[in-house]
Amino acid sequence: MQPVWSKVAGACALVFCLGGTAVAGDGVVRIGVLNDQSGVFADSTGNGSTIAARMAAEDFGGKAAGMPIEIIAADHQNRPDIGAGIARRWFDLDHVDAIADLGNSAVALAVAEIARDKNKAVLISAGGTTALTGKSCSPNTVQWTYDTWSQSNAIGTALVKKGLKKWFFLTADYTFGYNLRDETSKVVLANGGQVVGSVAHPLNSSDFSSYLLQAQASKADVIALANGGNDTANSIKQAQEFRITKGNQVLVGLSMMITDIKALGLAAAQGLYVTETFYWDRTPESRAWSERWAKRNNGRYPTMMQAGVYGAVLHYLKAVQAVGSVDDGAKVVAEMKKLPTDDPLFGKGYILPNGRKIHDAYVFQIKSPEESKSDWDYYKLVSTVPGKEAFLTLEQSGCKLTK
């Protein structure tokens, strides 16, 4: 079997070069986008994240600290062993300086540990576990876009306060799913709600019928989907087939992306509540960038994870420019924490000492077909959660680096 990294190393079709060639060597800022390029999260990360990284390199001017910027990409297939193997080869043989995106929390944790050992930088956009900036925090890691606590906090608080107190969880059977379930459960309980049940399902499932029937039988007010990508979309489609929402049970997608809404269609998704840190049509700046991105991606519009890759890579390049080198990954990440963050997608923000990027989060409700004015016009803003409230504080994170 051909090693997965051989698909990208030295292959011009998958390497983006600005002022240089894709060969191992010093004097180049080389960033690898490592994510799911072909599986359940390909729509929400995948090639769209690679496009976002390329745009960041272009917008920065093609060079940082006088060195050309190169973007390469590979598919970790949602397997920590494959992701770790690619990371080691990139760091040891291909002179990759930073790895970006890293959807799938188990892969992100594995790669973050390798990057710490090799003193490289990790720019996590799609990995959501709070462990990345908590018990497994690293001086080489920045977690940019969201985490399981930010996803659960706003929406859990809002719905329990509306009287939807009994929750049942449909949970993806891997680190991210369990983190999302556990963090949301804490929020529900803290606000006076209760958890009446939970069931786990394998990643990339096709049949959710038995899990949904358990949830329906629980008489829960809320059936919370602690999964992502196509798993979330398929859960909702099959819940519609069982007419679950007709029985006064509310479905909540705890990690829904705009690509999930596209796959479902507004007729099936209307009325759902989601939490995101980015929406393409929220501001004139985000709209202009997203329209540029869409022209490169067959008219599709970006998820918050893909937007996060742009923001993280752009800020990393600013830090490289300030430091004047990429040789010391921890030093570049430390500079990222010193510099205030500011980009057209997330606005102004900052990075905590544990690597947690702070910016506002938003609660949106999915529009009905009648409310939508055009394709990809899916969200209406319900509330804004300030950055200081959207994420765990440094003290709450449990990161030992800061003690």
Side-chain angles (χ1 to χ4, degrees), residues 105-162:
S105 293
V107 177
L109 287 165
V111 172
E113 188 62 30
I114 294 168
R116 183 172 185 167
D117 291 342
K118 306 288 185 182
N119 196 21
K120 302 291 186 176
V122 175
L123 316 172
I124 297 168
S125 179
T129 176
T130 53
L132 288 161
T133 50
K135 64 181 181 180
S136 299
C137 63
S138 163
N140 298 72
T141 296
V142 171
Q143 190 177 26
W144 189 272
T145 310
Y146 79 109
D147 57 39
T148 52
W149 197 86
S150 69
Q151 290 298 102
S152 62
N153 179 49
I155 205 163
T157 300
L159 293 185
V160 172
K161 287 183 176 180
K162 285 185 65 173

Tab-separated table of all heavy atoms in Angstrom, residues 105-162:
chain	number	residue	atom	x	y	z
A	105	SER	N	-10.037	15.164	16.948
A	105	SER	CA	-9.301	15.518	18.155
A	105	SER	C	-8.222	14.509	18.511
A	105	SER	O	-7.157	14.876	19.019
A	105	SER	CB	-10.281	15.671	19.320
A	105	SER	OG	-11.117	16.782	19.122
A	106	ALA	N	-8.473	13.224	18.262
A	106	ALA	CA	-7.465	12.212	18.577
A	106	ALA	C	-6.217	12.419	17.734
A	106	ALA	O	-5.083	12.291	18.224
A	106	ALA	CB	-8.040	10.815	18.359
A	107	VAL	N	-6.398	12.748	16.452
A	107	VAL	CA	-5.261	13.043	15.579
A	107	VAL	C	-4.559	14.311	16.054
A	107	VAL	O	-3.322	14.373	16.114
A	107	VAL	CB	-5.710	13.201	14.115
A	107	VAL	CG1	-4.529	13.573	13.231
A	107	VAL	CG2	-6.357	11.920	13.610
A	108	ALA	N	-5.332	15.335	16.404
A	108	ALA	CA	-4.752	16.606	16.844
A	108	ALA	C	-3.892	16.420	18.086
A	108	ALA	O	-2.798	16.980	18.193
A	108	ALA	CB	-5.858	17.623	17.112
A	109	LEU	N	-4.367	15.623	19.042
A	109	LEU	CA	-3.597	15.378	20.258
A	109	LEU	C	-2.289	14.656	19.944
A	109	LEU	O	-1.235	14.982	20.499
A	109	LEU	CB	-4.429	14.565	21.256
A	109	LEU	CG	-5.570	15.325	21.947
A	109	LEU	CD1	-6.537	14.355	22.600
A	109	LEU	CD2	-5.015	16.299	22.983
A	110	ALA	N	-2.346	13.670	19.053
A	110	ALA	CA	-1.144	12.920	18.688
A	110	ALA	C	-0.124	13.819	17.994
A	110	ALA	O	1.076	13.793	18.314
A	110	ALA	CB	-1.514	11.736	17.795
A	111	VAL	N	-0.585	14.625	17.051
A	111	VAL	CA	0.324	15.490	16.292
A	111	VAL	C	0.884	16.602	17.177
A	111	VAL	O	2.056	16.980	17.056
A	111	VAL	CB	-0.388	16.060	15.053
A	111	VAL	CG1	0.470	17.112	14.358
A	111	VAL	CG2	-0.732	14.938	14.084
A	112	ALA	N	0.064	17.131	18.086
A	112	ALA	CA	0.534	18.184	18.984
A	112	ALA	C	1.683	17.691	19.857
A	112	ALA	O	2.647	18.431	20.122
A	112	ALA	CB	-0.615	18.685	19.851
A	113	GLU	N	1.628	16.449	20.286
A	113	GLU	CA	2.707	15.890	21.108
A	113	GLU	C	3.991	15.729	20.293
A	113	GLU	O	5.094	16.020	20.775
A	113	GLU	CB	2.273	14.539	21.673
A	113	GLU	CG	3.234	13.958	22.697
A	113	GLU	CD	3.410	14.820	23.940
A	113	GLU	OE1	2.451	15.540	24.311
A	113	GLU	OE2	4.511	14.807	24.523
A	114	ILE	N	3.855	15.288	19.053
A	114	ILE	CA	5.030	15.154	18.180
A	114	ILE	C	5.641	16.528	17.909
A	114	ILE	O	6.866	16.693	17.942
A	114	ILE	CB	4.635	14.465	16.865
A	114	ILE	CG1	4.211	13.016	17.133
A	114	ILE	CG2	5.787	14.499	15.858
A	114	ILE	CD1	3.532	12.349	15.963
A	115	ALA	N	4.797	17.518	17.638
A	115	ALA	CA	5.281	18.870	17.373
A	115	ALA	C	6.031	19.433	18.574
A	115	ALA	O	7.042	20.128	18.422
A	115	ALA	CB	4.118	19.782	17.002
A	116	ARG	N	5.560	19.112	19.753
A	116	ARG	CA	6.267	19.579	20.954
A	116	ARG	C	7.653	18.942	21.040
A	116	ARG	O	8.643	19.623	21.332
A	116	ARG	CB	5.445	19.230	22.196
A	116	ARG	CG	6.054	19.721	23.499
A	116	ARG	CD	5.112	19.516	24.659
A	116	ARG	NE	5.636	20.090	25.883
A	116	ARG	CZ	4.928	20.279	26.990
A	116	ARG	NH1	3.644	19.925	27.009
A	116	ARG	NH2	5.460	20.803	28.059
A	117	ASP	N	7.736	17.659	20.757
A	117	ASP	CA	9.028	16.965	20.799
A	117	ASP	C	9.994	17.502	19.746
A	117	ASP	O	11.207	17.587	19.988
A	117	ASP	CB	8.820	15.464	20.583
A	117	ASP	CG	8.119	14.790	21.753
A	117	ASP	OD1	8.088	15.384	22.854
A	117	ASP	OD2	7.597	13.680	21.571
A	118	LYS	N	9.449	17.853	18.576
A	118	LYS	CA	10.287	18.327	17.462
A	118	LYS	C	10.458	19.849	17.466
A	118	LYS	O	11.158	20.394	16.621
A	118	LYS	CB	9.651	17.921	16.126
A	118	LYS	CG	9.351	16.433	15.980
A	118	LYS	CD	10.577	15.592	15.811
A	118	LYS	CE	10.208	14.141	15.552
A	118	LYS	NZ	11.405	13.272	15.418
A	119	ASN	N	9.788	20.527	18.393
A	119	ASN	CA	9.789	21.988	18.486
A	119	ASN	C	9.303	22.646	17.205
A	119	ASN	O	9.915	23.560	16.652
A	119	ASN	CB	11.157	22.538	18.869
A	119	ASN	CG	11.074	23.996	19.336
A	119	ASN	OD1	10.013	24.473	19.747
A	119	ASN	ND2	12.197	24.690	19.286
A	120	LYS	N	8.152	22.158	16.730
A	120	LYS	CA	7.473	22.745	15.588
A	120	LYS	C	6.166	23.385	16.072
A	120	LYS	O	5.766	23.234	17.225
A	120	LYS	CB	7.178	21.679	14.534
A	120	LYS	CG	8.410	20.951	14.022
A	120	LYS	CD	9.313	21.851	13.191
A	120	LYS	CE	10.452	21.057	12.577
A	120	LYS	NZ	11.278	21.885	11.684
A	121	ALA	N	5.471	24.093	15.184
A	121	ALA	CA	4.220	24.770	15.552
A	121	ALA	C	3.019	23.989	15.040
A	121	ALA	O	3.059	23.372	13.975
A	121	ALA	CB	4.200	26.179	14.975
A	122	VAL	N	1.941	24.013	15.830
A	122	VAL	CA	0.676	23.383	15.446
A	122	VAL	C	-0.425	24.426	15.551
A	122	VAL	O	-0.609	25.055	16.597
A	122	VAL	CB	0.353	22.167	16.334
A	122	VAL	CG1	-1.018	21.605	15.997
A	122	VAL	CG2	1.394	21.077	16.155
A	123	LEU	N	-1.179	24.602	14.458
A	123	LEU	CA	-2.232	25.611	14.360
A	123	LEU	C	-3.556	24.885	14.177
A	123	LEU	O	-3.976	24.600	13.064
A	123	LEU	CB	-1.954	26.542	13.172
A	123	LEU	CG	-0.500	27.023	13.011
A	123	LEU	CD1	-0.324	27.762	11.695
A	123	LEU	CD2	-0.078	27.884	14.198
A	124	ILE	N	-4.216	24.585	15.287
A	124	ILE	CA	-5.395	23.715	15.240
A	124	ILE	C	-6.651	24.545	15.008
A	124	ILE	O	-6.955	25.456	15.764
A	124	ILE	CB	-5.518	22.906	16.543
A	124	ILE	CG1	-4.305	21.982	16.689
A	124	ILE	CG2	-6.809	22.094	16.561
A	124	ILE	CD1	-4.159	21.356	18.047
A	125	SER	N	-7.371	24.209	13.948
A	125	SER	CA	-8.639	24.872	13.669
A	125	SER	C	-9.818	23.941	13.910
A	125	SER	O	-10.827	24.336	14.480
A	125	SER	CB	-8.684	25.387	12.232
A	125	SER	OG	-9.928	26.011	11.970
A	126	ALA	N	-9.704	22.688	13.447
A	126	ALA	CA	-10.848	21.782	13.475
A	126	ALA	C	-10.843	20.801	14.640
A	126	ALA	O	-11.857	20.177	14.911
A	126	ALA	CB	-10.928	21.001	12.160
A	127	GLY	N	-9.736	20.624	15.331
A	127	GLY	CA	-9.717	19.758	16.510
A	127	GLY	C	-10.375	20.463	17.676
A	127	GLY	O	-9.943	21.554	18.063
A	128	GLY	N	-11.417	19.859	18.271
A	128	GLY	CA	-12.231	20.594	19.229
A	128	GLY	C	-12.051	20.262	20.690
A	128	GLY	O	-12.616	20.945	21.545
A	129	THR	N	-11.275	19.242	21.049
A	129	THR	CA	-11.188	18.876	22.453
A	129	THR	C	-10.523	19.975	23.287
A	129	THR	O	-9.510	20.558	22.881
A	129	THR	CB	-10.421	17.551	22.644
A	129	THR	OG1	-10.287	17.280	24.045
A	129	THR	CG2	-9.038	17.593	22.014
A	130	THR	N	-11.068	20.230	24.459
A	130	THR	CA	-10.492	21.232	25.362
A	130	THR	C	-9.169	20.765	25.961
A	130	THR	O	-8.435	21.577	26.520
A	130	THR	CB	-11.478	21.565	26.498
A	130	THR	OG1	-11.890	20.347	27.141
A	130	THR	CG2	-12.707	22.286	25.964
A	131	ALA	N	-8.853	19.475	25.839
A	131	ALA	CA	-7.577	18.972	26.345
A	131	ALA	C	-6.397	19.643	25.645
A	131	ALA	O	-5.308	19.758	26.208
A	131	ALA	CB	-7.492	17.463	26.166
A	132	LEU	N	-6.598	20.101	24.411
A	132	LEU	CA	-5.515	20.719	23.651
A	132	LEU	C	-4.992	21.991	24.297
A	132	LEU	O	-3.820	22.350	24.115
A	132	LEU	CB	-5.982	21.006	22.218
A	132	LEU	CG	-6.151	19.767	21.329
A	132	LEU	CD1	-7.040	20.075	20.131
A	132	LEU	CD2	-4.793	19.247	20.875
A	133	THR	N	-5.835	22.689	25.021
A	133	THR	CA	-5.397	23.864	25.767
A	133	THR	C	-5.618	23.667	27.268
A	133	THR	O	-5.564	24.622	28.039
A	133	THR	CB	-6.134	25.128	25.289
A	133	THR	OG1	-7.541	24.872	25.259
A	133	THR	CG2	-5.675	25.522	23.902
A	134	GLY	N	-5.854	22.409	27.669
A	134	GLY	CA	-6.043	22.058	29.066
A	134	GLY	C	-4.957	21.111	29.530
A	134	GLY	O	-3.781	21.462	29.542
A	135	LYS	N	-5.331	19.885	29.867
A	135	LYS	CA	-4.358	18.941	30.438
A	135	LYS	C	-3.248	18.567	29.455
A	135	LYS	O	-2.165	18.149	29.878
A	135	LYS	CB	-5.072	17.687	30.920
A	135	LYS	CG	-5.738	16.868	29.824
A	135	LYS	CD	-6.439	15.652	30.400
A	135	LYS	CE	-7.086	14.806	29.304
A	135	LYS	NZ	-7.781	13.613	29.866
A	136	SER	N	-3.503	18.690	28.148
A	136	SER	CA	-2.489	18.361	27.140
A	136	SER	C	-1.945	19.608	26.443
A	136	SER	O	-1.462	19.538	25.316
A	136	SER	CB	-3.079	17.396	26.094
A	136	SER	OG	-3.496	16.192	26.694
A	137	CYS	N	-2.015	20.750	27.100
A	137	CYS	CA	-1.552	21.994	26.480
A	137	CYS	C	-0.049	21.920	26.218
A	137	CYS	O	0.683	21.181	26.868
A	137	CYS	CB	-1.889	23.192	27.361
A	137	CYS	SG	-1.080	23.175	28.980
A	138	SER	N	0.386	22.712	25.253
A	138	SER	CA	1.777	22.683	24.811
A	138	SER	C	2.219	24.080	24.420
A	138	SER	O	1.420	24.855	23.872
A	138	SER	CB	1.923	21.738	23.600
A	138	SER	OG	3.131	21.972	22.907
A	139	PRO	N	3.473	24.429	24.656
A	139	PRO	CA	3.961	25.745	24.215
A	139	PRO	C	4.060	25.863	22.698
A	139	PRO	O	4.336	26.947	22.179
A	139	PRO	CB	5.357	25.828	24.858
A	139	PRO	CG	5.766	24.413	25.066
A	139	PRO	CD	4.505	23.665	25.364
A	140	ASN	N	3.813	24.777	21.989
A	140	ASN	CA	3.891	24.771	20.531
A	140	ASN	C	2.533	24.777	19.846
A	140	ASN	O	2.469	24.721	18.615
A	140	ASN	CB	4.671	23.533	20.069
A	140	ASN	CG	6.093	23.515	20.576
A	140	ASN	OD1	6.330	23.291	21.757
A	140	ASN	ND2	7.044	23.760	19.701
A	141	THR	N	1.452	24.851	20.624
A	141	THR	CA	0.104	24.683	20.075
A	141	THR	C	-0.739	25.937	20.235
A	141	THR	O	-0.762	26.556	21.303
A	141	THR	CB	-0.609	23.508	20.766
A	141	THR	OG1	0.083	22.300	20.461
A	141	THR	CG2	-2.058	23.381	20.298
A	142	VAL	N	-1.474	26.275	19.161
A	142	VAL	CA	-2.539	27.277	19.218
A	142	VAL	C	-3.824	26.602	18.755
A	142	VAL	O	-3.847	25.928	17.729
A	142	VAL	CB	-2.226	28.491	18.327
A	142	VAL	CG1	-3.446	29.415	18.217
A	142	VAL	CG2	-1.028	29.257	18.870
A	143	GLN	N	-4.891	26.752	19.532
A	143	GLN	CA	-6.216	26.236	19.155
A	143	GLN	C	-7.069	27.438	18.775
A	143	GLN	O	-7.486	28.211	19.618
A	143	GLN	CB	-6.833	25.445	20.305
A	143	GLN	CG	-8.093	24.682	19.936
A	143	GLN	CD	-8.628	23.850	21.084
A	143	GLN	OE1	-8.410	24.155	22.245
A	143	GLN	NE2	-9.355	22.788	20.768
A	144	TRP	N	-7.363	27.570	17.499
A	144	TRP	CA	-7.844	28.849	16.982
A	144	TRP	C	-9.356	29.025	17.017
A	144	TRP	O	-9.859	30.030	17.524
A	144	TRP	CB	-7.361	29.030	15.539
A	144	TRP	CG	-7.615	30.400	14.986
A	144	TRP	CD1	-8.737	30.838	14.343
A	144	TRP	CD2	-6.731	31.523	15.062
A	144	TRP	NE1	-8.605	32.158	13.995
A	144	TRP	CE2	-7.382	32.608	14.431
A	144	TRP	CE3	-5.462	31.712	15.583
A	144	TRP	CZ2	-6.786	33.866	14.319
A	144	TRP	CZ3	-4.870	32.962	15.474
A	144	TRP	CH2	-5.529	34.023	14.849
A	145	THR	N	-10.138	28.130	16.457
A	145	THR	CA	-11.499	28.446	16.032
A	145	THR	C	-12.561	28.256	17.103
A	145	THR	O	-13.401	29.128	17.337
A	145	THR	CB	-11.865	27.597	14.793
A	145	THR	OG1	-10.822	27.714	13.825
A	145	THR	CG2	-13.174	28.041	14.186
A	146	TYR	N	-12.553	27.114	17.741
A	146	TYR	CA	-13.616	26.734	18.669
A	146	TYR	C	-13.100	25.598	19.526
A	146	TYR	O	-11.992	25.088	19.331
A	146	TYR	CB	-14.857	26.267	17.906
A	146	TYR	CG	-14.723	24.842	17.397
A	146	TYR	CD1	-15.467	23.808	17.960
A	146	TYR	CD2	-13.811	24.528	16.382
A	146	TYR	CE1	-15.301	22.499	17.518
A	146	TYR	CE2	-13.656	23.231	15.936
A	146	TYR	CZ	-14.398	22.223	16.506
A	146	TYR	OH	-14.229	20.929	16.081
A	147	ASP	N	-13.887	25.173	20.512
A	147	ASP	CA	-13.648	23.912	21.198
A	147	ASP	C	-14.991	23.384	21.703
A	147	ASP	O	-16.033	24.017	21.508
A	147	ASP	CB	-12.619	24.044	22.332
A	147	ASP	CG	-12.989	25.080	23.385
A	147	ASP	OD1	-14.182	25.178	23.737
A	147	ASP	OD2	-12.078	25.790	23.859
A	148	THR	N	-14.970	22.218	22.308
A	148	THR	CA	-16.232	21.603	22.711
A	148	THR	C	-16.953	22.419	23.776
A	148	THR	O	-18.188	22.404	23.836
A	148	THR	CB	-15.996	20.169	23.227
A	148	THR	OG1	-14.960	20.179	24.233
A	148	THR	CG2	-15.562	19.260	22.087
A	149	TRP	N	-16.202	23.152	24.598
A	149	TRP	CA	-16.857	23.966	25.622
A	149	TRP	C	-17.549	25.170	24.993
A	149	TRP	O	-18.691	25.489	25.355
A	149	TRP	CB	-15.850	24.436	26.672
A	149	TRP	CG	-16.509	24.920	27.932
A	149	TRP	CD1	-16.895	24.171	29.006
A	149	TRP	CD2	-16.874	26.274	28.242
A	149	TRP	NE1	-17.484	24.968	29.967
A	149	TRP	CE2	-17.479	26.265	29.526
A	149	TRP	CE3	-16.762	27.484	27.573
A	149	TRP	CZ2	-17.958	27.417	30.147
A	149	TRP	CZ3	-17.237	28.638	28.182
A	149	TRP	CH2	-17.821	28.602	29.450
A	150	SER	N	-16.905	25.826	24.055
A	150	SER	CA	-17.531	26.984	23.413
A	150	SER	C	-18.772	26.567	22.640
A	150	SER	O	-19.761	27.310	22.579
A	150	SER	CB	-16.538	27.695	22.480
A	150	SER	OG	-16.219	26.913	21.343
A	151	GLN	N	-18.740	25.368	22.037
A	151	GLN	CA	-19.901	24.888	21.294
A	151	GLN	C	-21.081	24.594	22.213
A	151	GLN	O	-22.238	24.790	21.851
A	151	GLN	CB	-19.536	23.614	20.526
A	151	GLN	CG	-18.591	23.835	19.355
A	151	GLN	CD	-19.179	24.726	18.294
A	151	GLN	OE1	-18.859	25.906	18.204
A	151	GLN	NE2	-20.052	24.194	17.473
A	152	SER	N	-20.790	24.100	23.405
A	152	SER	CA	-21.872	23.650	24.293
A	152	SER	C	-22.394	24.752	25.204
A	152	SER	O	-23.583	24.756	25.562
A	152	SER	CB	-21.368	22.490	25.156
A	152	SER	OG	-20.282	22.896	25.977
A	153	ASN	N	-21.546	25.677	25.576
A	153	ASN	CA	-21.889	26.642	26.620
A	153	ASN	C	-23.079	27.521	26.245
A	153	ASN	O	-24.079	27.580	26.966
A	153	ASN	CB	-20.669	27.507	26.932
A	153	ASN	CG	-20.958	28.553	27.987
A	153	ASN	OD1	-21.514	28.263	29.030
A	153	ASN	ND2	-20.567	29.776	27.709
A	154	ALA	N	-22.975	28.211	25.116
A	154	ALA	CA	-24.020	29.169	24.758
A	154	ALA	C	-25.356	28.490	24.489
A	154	ALA	O	-26.397	28.904	24.996
A	154	ALA	CB	-23.577	29.970	23.534
A	155	ILE	N	-25.325	27.435	23.684
A	155	ILE	CA	-26.585	26.814	23.277
A	155	ILE	C	-27.219	26.021	24.420
A	155	ILE	O	-28.440	25.997	24.581
A	155	ILE	CB	-26.362	25.933	22.031
A	155	ILE	CG1	-27.655	25.787	21.246
A	155	ILE	CG2	-25.745	24.585	22.371
A	155	ILE	CD1	-27.436	25.306	19.824
A	156	GLY	N	-26.376	25.384	25.262
A	156	GLY	CA	-26.910	24.652	26.404
A	156	GLY	C	-27.599	25.573	27.391
A	156	GLY	O	-28.706	25.295	27.873
A	157	THR	N	-26.958	26.690	27.673
A	157	THR	CA	-27.540	27.665	28.606
A	157	THR	C	-28.851	28.221	28.068
A	157	THR	O	-29.859	28.297	28.781
A	157	THR	CB	-26.538	28.813	28.846
A	157	THR	OG1	-25.334	28.284	29.407
A	157	THR	CG2	-27.126	29.848	29.791
A	158	ALA	N	-28.860	28.597	26.791
A	158	ALA	CA	-30.050	29.222	26.206
A	158	ALA	C	-31.256	28.291	26.213
A	158	ALA	O	-32.369	28.698	26.555
A	158	ALA	CB	-29.740	29.669	24.779
A	159	LEU	N	-31.062	27.035	25.845
A	159	LEU	CA	-32.207	26.125	25.726
A	159	LEU	C	-32.739	25.675	27.079
A	159	LEU	O	-33.954	25.534	27.251
A	159	LEU	CB	-31.818	24.919	24.873
A	159	LEU	CG	-31.528	25.230	23.405
A	159	LEU	CD1	-31.263	23.947	22.624
A	159	LEU	CD2	-32.674	25.997	22.758
A	160	VAL	N	-31.872	25.454	28.046
A	160	VAL	CA	-32.363	25.091	29.382
A	160	VAL	C	-33.170	26.241	29.966
A	160	VAL	O	-34.228	26.038	30.579
A	160	VAL	CB	-31.199	24.704	30.318
A	160	VAL	CG1	-31.702	24.522	31.753
A	160	VAL	CG2	-30.546	23.413	29.850
A	161	LYS	N	-32.707	27.471	29.749
A	161	LYS	CA	-33.444	28.633	30.248
A	161	LYS	C	-34.799	28.790	29.553
A	161	LYS	O	-35.709	29.398	30.098
A	161	LYS	CB	-32.602	29.897	30.090
A	161	LYS	CG	-31.445	29.964	31.078
A	161	LYS	CD	-30.661	31.259	30.960
A	161	LYS	CE	-29.578	31.336	32.015
A	161	LYS	NZ	-28.787	32.594	31.932
A	162	LYS	N	-34.931	28.220	28.355
A	162	LYS	CA	-36.218	28.241	27.654
A	162	LYS	C	-37.161	27.154	28.154
A	162	LYS	O	-38.309	27.070	27.705
A	162	LYS	CB	-36.003	28.043	26.149
A	162	LYS	CG	-35.446	29.254	25.420
A	162	LYS	CD	-35.387	29.026	23.925
A	162	LYS	CE	-36.791	28.875	23.336
A	162	LYS	NZ	-36.769	28.810	21.843
